Amino acid sequence: MGIVGAGPAGLTLGNLLRQAGIPCVVLERGTREHIETRPRAGVIEHRAVQMLTRHGLADRLLREADRHGVCEFRVEGRAHEVDYSSLYDGQTHYVYPQQEVVKDLVRAYVNSGGDIRFGVADVALHGIRSAEPALTWTSADGREERLDCSFIAGADGFHGVTRRSIPAGAIQEFSHQHGIEWLSVLAEAPPSTHKVIYALHPDGFAGHMLRSATVSRYYLQVPVEDTVENWPDERVWAELRKRLALRDSDWTLTEGPIIEKRILDMRSHVVEPMNHGNLYLLGDAAHIITPVGAKGMNLALHDAEVLAEALTAYHRAGDETGLAAYSETCLRRVWRAQEFSQWMVFMLHRSPEPFLSRLGQARLEHLIASGSSAGYFAQNYVGP
Ligand code: RFL
C-alpha cells in the first residue's frame, strides 16, 4: 500500500493498516517537524475519538483534551447557550489541536516500525487502473525511488498530486464558493470563554474557538478579497471586542500576541466517486468543507477508518465488498456534513443582500427558541 500524505487521514490509515498486518509506506512532502507544528483544526467529534481509542491511538488525547458539550451564540449583544451534548446522547467534542493528533499518530506509526519518508519531492503515480500501480518520488537526499504496490491512498490534501492524476472526465467535481471570507487569527492568549462562541453582528460574523490553555483561535468575517495587510493586530482586537461584546455584562476579551493571521475563502468541493482504479482518495484530497461546523478533520478520520476496514477485509479474505462501497459510504457522511455546514454558513453570516442576512438571523433565533431546531443542530454538530 502506498499512502501519499501524512496528515490526519494518511497517518490514521497507516496506523490502522499496520495493526492489520498490511505493509505500507507513507510519503510526505514536509519535514516531521513541519507537520507536527502546523496549527489547523482543534475540534474532534465523539465518534472519531472512539475510533482512535479502539485502535489505541487516543491515550494522550483522552488525558489532555478538554471535553465540550455547550456552545454559545451571541446576537444583538445577548448570549444564548446551547447544550448540544444533552440534546444528543451526552456526546461531546474533544478540544485537541490537530498538530497534537498528528504528533500522536506519527509516534504510534514510527514506534510500531512503520515506514514513513519525510521531505519527498516529485511524487508521481503510475498505472492506477492496473493491478500493479506504482509511486515514484525523489527522496529527501535526492535519490530517485519507486514503490510497486497493490493500492495507492491519496491523502495529500486539496492541493496534492493524487486527485490530479485521475484522467479528466473519470470523476465529477462539485464546487461551491460561498462568497464569504474569514480572517483567521491564532493568538497566544488564554481563552476568554469555556465554550465556543459564535457571534452574529451587523458588521459580520465573529467566532472565538478554543485550542489550549494558552492559545486561542478567532475568526472575523471580512469583505471578499480583503487582505491580511488590512488587519493590523490592533484592528483585529478592536473588531473582536466590538462583535463579541455583551450588553449588561462585565465579560472581557483576553488579548495576547497574534502568531498567525490568514484569509480563508469559504468554499466547498466534493469529488465523486472517491476512487479511480486502484487509487482511493481520502480526507481533503477528496472533499473540502468550510471550517464553520468543524468537520474537515473528522471526515478525514472517517474516510481512513472506512478504507482501512475495506482493505483489511480484502487482505484477509479477498473480500472486495468494502472497497466497492468505499466511495458511497464516505460520500453519504460527506454530503450530510456539507449540508449542515451550508446551513450554519447561511445562519451566521452577513450577506450583501440584507434580506438574506435577516433570514440567517431568523434561523438563529429559531435555533435558540425551538427544541426541534436545536436538536437538528446538536445531532449534526457533534455527530452524526
Ligand atoms: P492534510 O492535513 O492537508 O494533510 C495532507 C498532507 O499531504 C502532504 N502533501 C504531500 N505529500 C507528498 N507529496 C505531495 N505532492 C503532497 N502534497 C501534499 C501535506 O504536506 C500534508 O501533510 O489533509 P488530511 O489528512 O485530509 O486532513 C484534513 C484536515 O487537515 C482538514 O480537513 C482540517 O484541518 C479542517 N479544519 C477543521 N477540521 C475539523 O474537523 N475541526 C476543526 O476544528 C477544523 N478547523 C480546519 C480548521 C482547517 C482550517 N484551515 C487551515 C483551512 C481550522 C482552519 C483554520
Side-chain angles (χ1 to χ4, degrees):
M1 182 86 205
I3 301 174
V4 186
L11 288 166
T12 302
L13 179 66
N15 274 291
L16 269 48
L17 293 184
R18 278 202 60 74
Q19 291 181 6
I22 300 173
C24 50
V25 176
V26 179
L27 302 179
E28 168 57 47
R29 188 176 57 180
T31 62
R32 180 168 178 174
E33 196 205 345
H34 172 72
I35 64 162
E36 289 187 348
T37 52
R38 185 173 44 191
R40 294 177 89 182
V43 177
I44 313 181
E45 288 165 6
H46 181 86
R47 67 163 304 288
V49 173
Q50 280 185 317
M51 182 275 287
L52 293 171
T53 306
R54 276 198 305 279
H55 292 279
L57 297 169
D59 293 355
R60 193 164 70 95
L61 184 156
L62 291 172
R63 271 199 316 276
E64 296 182 10
D66 280 336
R67 295 181 68 168
H68 286 264
V70 180
C71 67
E72 185 177 310
F73 292 97
R74 293 188 177 181
V75 56
E76 292 181 343
R78 303 216 180 278
H80 306 270
E81 279 188 0
V82 176
D83 181 351
Y84 56 88
S85 175
S86 53
L87 288 165
Y88 195 62
D89 294 341
Q91 294 195 14
T92 59
H93 281 132
Y94 291 73
V95 176
Y96 192 65
Q98 180 166 330
Q99 66 270 30
E100 302 303 322
V101 176
V102 165
K103 233 181 256 172
D104 294 348
L105 291 171
V106 171
R107 189 176 308 132
Y109 184 76
V110 169
N111 287 352
S112 72
D115 188 345
I116 180 163
R117 318 284 175 92
F118 292 105
V120 303
D122 314 322
V123 171
L125 288 72
H126 310 274
I128 50 178
R129 285 210 62 83
S130 76
E132 286 181 6
L135 285 164
T136 56
W137 67 93
T138 308
S139 68
D141 56 5
R143 279 175 291 118
E144 300 303 316
E145 298 192 315
R146 177 184 176 95
L147 175 75
D148 294 298
C149 43
S150 307
F151 300 100
I152 296 173
D156 49 348
F158 187 62
H159 300 288
V161 67
T162 57
R163 188 181 66 254
R164 282 186 276 119
S165 308
I166 300 175
I171 49 171
Q172 205 176 349
E173 308 208 24
F174 298 85
S175 270
H176 181 61
Q177 205 76 24
H178 295 267
I180 286 165
E181 278 186 12
W182 278 2
L183 179 73
S184 163
V185 175
L186 200 63
E188 281 172 350
S192 315
T193 168
H194 297 299
K195 28 192 186 312
V196 166
I197 301 173
Y198 298 99
L200 191 61
H201 186 274
D203 294 342
F205 166 75
H208 182 337
M209 310 292 141
L210 300 155
R211 287 298 182 259
S212 72
T214 51
V215 171
S216 303
R217 195 180 272 290
Y218 314 87
Y219 297 123
L220 282 170
Q221 182 184 359
V222 296
V224 174
E225 293 182 8
D226 207 346
T227 60
V228 167
E229 291 67 44
N230 279 338
W231 288 92
D233 294 2
E234 193 35 58
R235 183 175 177 211
V236 170
W237 290 118
E239 200 64 22
L240 283 169
R241 279 196 301 271
K242 181 177 72 185
R243 295 193 199 178
L244 293 170
L246 285 179
R247 278 195 230 158
D248 312 323
S249 160
D250 53 6
W251 181 85
T252 52
L253 182 67
T254 310
E255 300 177 17
I258 291 180
I259 51 178
E260 184 194 279
K261 253 187 273 180
R262 56 196 288 191
I263 297 282
L264 295 180
D265 188 9
M266 295 291 129
R267 64 192 160 145
S268 299
H269 194 95
V270 180
V271 165
E272 285 194 10
M274 286 169 53
N275 61 307
H276 179 71
N278 283 315
L279 167 64
Y280 290 81
L281 301 176
L282 58 163
D284 279 13
H287 40 76
I288 52 164
I289 185 163
T290 74
V292 182
K295 293 286 171 193
M297 179 166 66
N298 291 290
L299 291 172
L301 295 176
H302 180 252
D303 294 348
E305 179 189 13
V306 175
L307 186 55
E309 275 172 15
L311 287 165
T312 304
Y314 177 75
H315 182 71
R316 292 208 173 129
D319 178 358
E320 294 185 21
T321 332
L323 286 173
Y326 168 72
S327 176
E328 204 185 321
T329 307
C330 295
L331 284 170
R332 216 172 297 127
R333 181 174 290 263
V334 167
W335 280 113
R336 180 79 241 107
Q338 294 283 7
E339 190 277 330
F340 173 64
S341 159
Q342 166 79 23
W343 184 88
M344 278 194 79
V345 167
F346 183 79
M347 178 172 76
L348 291 173
H349 293 89
R350 285 283 140 189
S351 160
E353 257 191 74
F355 181 81
L356 295 181
S357 295
R358 283 297 288 118
L359 281 187
Q361 187 172 333
R363 180 176 290 181
L364 180 55
E365 284 163 2
H366 187 55
L367 161 62
I368 291 162
S370 139
S372 62
S373 182
Y376 166 84
F377 169 75
Q379 180 191 11
N380 287 281
Y381 189 52
V382 74

